[in-house]
Each structure stands twice: as C-alpha cells, then as structure tokens.
Amino acid sequence: MSFIDRVLQPPSYGWQDANGDLIKPSRKQLLAEALSRMNIFKTKKNWTAFVGWFWVLCLLPFLIVFITNYLTWYGVLTIIAYGAFMSTHGTIWYHRYSTHFAFKFKNKFWMYFTQNLGIKVIPEEIYVVSHHVHHAKSDKPGDPYNAFGGYLYCFLADTNHQPIAKDMDEADYNRTTKFVKHTGIYVNSYAQYQKWGSV
C-alpha cells in the first residue's frame, strides 16, 4: 500500500469491496461510524472528530435564536454575504494555501489574519491531509468525500473519512506533518501523536 492509501483512518465498513468497487454504506452504518468516531470516552484519539461537531452544536442555539427572533431581510443578506465570505476564506486558506501552498504570505501577520478570518470548526489536518488523498483518488474508493457514496457519506466525511490514521509509524507520521507545517499550526511530536492521534 502506498502512503496515500494508508494516511487516512479507514472506516469500519472499508473503502472498497473484494472487486475493488466503492463500498456504499447504509445510513445506519454511516451514523454508527460517526458516533463511534466522536466517542471521546472510547479513546481520546477521537478528539478531532468530537470537537468539530461539539463546536457546531455550541453555535447552533445562536443561529436558532437569530432566525426565530431577529431575522430580517437585512439579516438574510448578511447571512448570504457571510456564507460567500466563508466560502472564499475556505478556498483561500484551506484549499489554495494550506493544501496546495499556491502562494506565500508577505509576513506572519497576514498569514495569521487570513487563517483566523472566520469561525473555524475544522482543524487544518482534517481538511489538508484528506484533500491530498482526494486529489490522488478523486471519485475512486479511498476518496474521503466520494460523491458516489451519497449525501450522508459526504456530509459526515469530516468524521468518518477525513481523520488521519491513528496507527502510523514514525516515518509516515513525519510525512503527514509535512502537509501542514507551513500553516503555522503547532505540530505534535510522534509521542504526542501516539497519545492524541492527531498532528
């Protein structure tokens, strides 16, 4: 198996069947996998999957209060503008810079500013490492957000398909850290990775 095939934690239902075809898990399998991977009581290595959905649930009441009590046409336009802004931020920070290192910042201030322009619920390692796999295996088994898997397959990808493998050897872990070192995030040592299961 090549590095790109083993850098992500495979789901319990697997990526492909004996014929090499994409396994399309049922809704029940997808939800069970998500709940299992968010269970921090099972292992603390599930913290990245847990924290992303934890922050979404923490922010949800504010959205509900806003929609039920304060929504106006101006608010709708603000939501649309913020959505477009966040999409642009995702493209600039996560995709163009963090994944493809398509440009360089003039200084650390602008990098920090760009990195923190919006509310972040997904750590860089979840997006960046899996996006390299996505480009290598686009729409094939092993693609962490394979469109042929269906809506829920893609919706739960950050939990079920995008986390890095938890059992890498030191050489593979060091290769994985090279995907994100330029983003300025703190990078765990191999011993810390073995404890926490994340970069």
Side-chain angles (χ1 to χ4, degrees), residues 58-83:
C58 286
L59 293 168
L60 190 60
F62 296 100
L63 177 63
I64 292 169
V65 167
F66 175 75
I67 290 172
T68 57
N69 296 321
Y70 301 104
L71 189 62
T72 63
W73 284 109
Y74 174 74
V76 169
L77 294 175
T78 302
I79 289 171
I80 291 169
Y82 185 72

Side-chain angles (χ1 to χ4, degrees), residues 36-37 39-46:
S36 173
R37 291 212 179 182
N39 185 351
I40 56 171
F41 300 107
K42 178 180 171 186
T43 174
K44 63 179 111 187
K45 291 180 179 183
N46 285 341

Side-chain angles (χ1 to χ4, degrees), residues 14-148:
W15 299 114
Q16 61 188 11
D17 62 20
N19 297 325
D21 296 325
L22 173 69
I23 292 175
K24 296 180 185 177
S26 67
R27 287 183 188 159
K28 184 177 179 181
Q29 286 175 300
L30 288 164
L31 292 171
E33 184 76 10
L35 292 174
S36 173
R37 291 212 179 182
M38 286 187 268
N39 185 351
I40 56 171
F41 300 107
K42 178 180 171 186
T43 174
K44 63 179 111 187
K45 291 180 179 183
N46 285 341
W47 80 270
T48 53
F50 171 81
V51 78
W53 284 98
F54 172 78
W55 286 118
V56 168
L57 293 176
C58 286
L59 293 168
L60 190 60
F62 296 100
L63 177 63
I64 292 169
V65 167
F66 175 75
I67 290 172
T68 57
N69 296 321
Y70 301 104
L71 189 62
T72 63
W73 284 109
Y74 174 74
V76 169
L77 294 175
T78 302
I79 289 171
I80 291 169
Y82 185 72
F85 171 77
M86 286 304 293
S87 176
T88 302
H89 171 259
T91 299
I92 292 169
W93 178 254
Y94 283 115
H95 191 249
R96 301 297 298 144
Y97 180 73
S98 297
T99 302
H100 297 295
F101 205 17
F103 56 89
K104 292 183 180 183
F105 289 98
K106 288 186 177 183
N107 57 53
K108 296 275 186 189
F109 170 79
W110 287 113
M111 185 175 92
Y112 181 82
F113 180 79
T114 305
Q115 180 181 21
N116 295 289
L117 275 173
I119 297 169
K120 289 172 54 169
V121 296
I122 297 175
E124 278 82 354
E125 78 177 70
I126 295 289
Y127 184 93
V128 174
V129 176
S130 67
H131 206 74
H132 283 285
V133 176
H134 166 69
H135 281 297
K137 301 176 138 311
S138 187
D139 292 331
K140 296 176 185 162
D143 179 355
Y145 21 94
N146 190 323
F148 294 112

Side-chain angles (χ1 to χ4, degrees), residues 8-16 25 30 33 37 142 153 160-161:
L8 298 182
Q9 180 182 2
S12 61
Y13 40 79
W15 299 114
Q16 61 188 11
L30 288 164
E33 184 76 10
R37 291 212 179 182
Y153 188 95
N160 292 0
H161 309 126

Side-chain angles (χ1 to χ4, degrees), residues 6 167-174 190 193:
R6 61 182 185 267
D167 58 353
M168 287 187 266
D169 62 27
E170 192 166 3
D172 278 355
Y173 176 70
N174 289 333
Y190 183 66
Y193 156 76

